Amino acid sequence: YGPICEATPFVWKGRLLLLVNIRPASAADPGQHYLQVRDVARDSVLCTFGHGYSLASAFVWEGTLHVYSARLQEGGWHDVSEFTSRDLVNWSAPHVVIGENPQEQLFNQSVCRTEHRFVMAYESNDPRWPPFTIKFAESLDLVTWTPIPDRIFGDDRYTACPCLRYVGGHYYMLYLEHRTPRWWFETFLTRSRDLVNWEPSLCNPILSPGQAECCNTSDPDIVEFAGRTLLYYSYGDQRTWTQLTRAEYPGT
């Protein structure tokens, strides 16, 4: 899939689409960072938007595509902003749904739905904890978001690029660990009923770099489509290059 890092697969009117982040490793100009929606089967670009934004995720609800993204400005990533569209042609202007404090930057995020609310996991470099840590916010309408106090994951180590789902009373979260002291990055899985107490999978790490994947398997995201579970993730060197790829499981 070319030099793409973060990507979110989603189903839109029976089609498998992919929100991709165009984020050149050497590009300092915010205008060189932008978002695209692609049709997977046709390998075609449906729309391009959000110049100056990246590290984005997608969530479909009641005929609207909600895209949450970080804004690149003055060499740093700021806020979590939202774009919405009902036709993938006309997009709302971005508006900030979660702001950062002056010492903090915000990065990747992921949204899921529970029985009564929506929950977002988002990545932060809040100086009170190691970079990166994961915070959580909640919403009833996907527009107004409120950070959930005292819900912090990874306050003792690097835990990045979350992918959050909710199934059967549990939050399941894929995330990245930096396996120090090596320059080596693996995807782990954990679950929780309350976003406080977490139970790591006995199979961790569930995704490690293969022979051709250098030292990194990061930015996981999953979707069910046509009876299969599709896992998209990025591999590379975590510095200068990245490649998006996909793994499949023949079931839910």
Side-chain angles (χ1 to χ4, degrees):
Y1 286 97
I4 297 168
C5 191
E6 298 86 2
T8 303
F10 62 96
V11 178
W12 179 265
K13 299 180 180 178
R15 300 157 63 191
L16 178 63
L17 304 186
L18 199 61
L19 172 73
V20 299
N21 295 259
I22 307 301
R23 185 159 62 89
S26 60
D29 179 3
Q32 294 180 268
H33 299 255
Y34 55 91
L35 309 175
Q36 282 185 342
V37 175
R38 298 187 177 184
D39 186 300
V40 174
R42 300 174 183 175
D43 192 24
S44 60
V45 175
L46 298 181
C47 63
T48 297
F49 65 103
H51 285 79
Y53 290 81
S54 191
L55 308 174
S57 63
F59 187 82
V60 177
W61 183 248
E62 295 183 341
T64 297
L65 176 60
H66 299 258
V67 172
Y68 300 95
S69 183
R71 171 176 52 86
L72 180 61
Q73 183 177 354
E74 298 175 351
W77 296 99
H78 302 276
D79 310 317
V80 175
S81 296
E82 181 190 34
F83 299 84
T84 62
S85 177
R86 295 188 64 86
D87 57 11
L88 307 187
V89 175
N90 302 289
W91 291 87
S92 68
H95 69 280
V96 174
V97 295
I98 298 177
E100 81 272 24
N101 66 50
Q103 292 78 39
E104 176 189 32
Q105 295 184 67
L106 302 181
F107 307 91
N108 298 283
Q109 67 299 124
S110 179
V111 172
C112 72
R113 179 176 179 261
T114 74
E115 295 95 341
H116 309 295
R117 62 177 179 171
F118 302 95
V119 175
M120 177 190 295
Y122 61 100
E123 181 186 343
S124 161
N125 70 344
D126 189 317
R128 292 176 292 177
W129 300 290
F132 296 89
T133 53
I134 296 172
K135 297 182 177 183
F136 299 92
E138 61 183 348
S139 175
L140 297 178
D141 59 6
L142 291 168
V143 176
T144 301
W145 289 89
T146 303
I148 306 174
D150 303 321
R151 300 295 192 273
I152 301 293
F153 181 80
D155 60 0
D156 59 347
R157 67 196 188 283
Y158 177 113
T159 55
C161 44
C163 173
L164 188 67
R165 298 292 185 269
Y166 183 82
V167 181
H170 279 96
Y171 297 93
Y172 289 83
M173 187 166 66
L174 298 166
Y175 69 96
L176 187 69
E177 288 217 8
H178 179 193
R179 308 296 285 162
T180 56
R182 301 171 63 195
W183 190 252
W184 189 260
F185 299 83
E186 298 173 319
T187 289
F188 280 57
L189 173 66
T190 188
R191 71 176 184 176
S192 174
R193 290 188 178 275
D194 57 9
L195 303 177
V196 176
N197 302 290
W198 293 90
E199 176 188 5
S201 170
L202 296 177
C203 298
N204 281 332
I206 66 164
L207 192 62
S208 296
Q211 185 174 3
E213 295 180 327
C214 195
C215 60
N216 171 69
T217 47
S218 67
D219 301 281
D221 215 309
I222 59 174
V223 68
E224 292 185 15
F225 181 72
R228 300 168 295 159
T229 298
L230 309 178
L231 168 65
Y232 285 80
Y233 67 96
S234 296
Y235 63 87
D237 67 356
Q238 272 281 342
R239 286 191 175 103
T240 62
W241 68 274
T242 184
Q243 187 83 10
L244 180 68
T245 191
R246 185 177 84 184
E248 296 187 8
Y249 174 78
T252 63

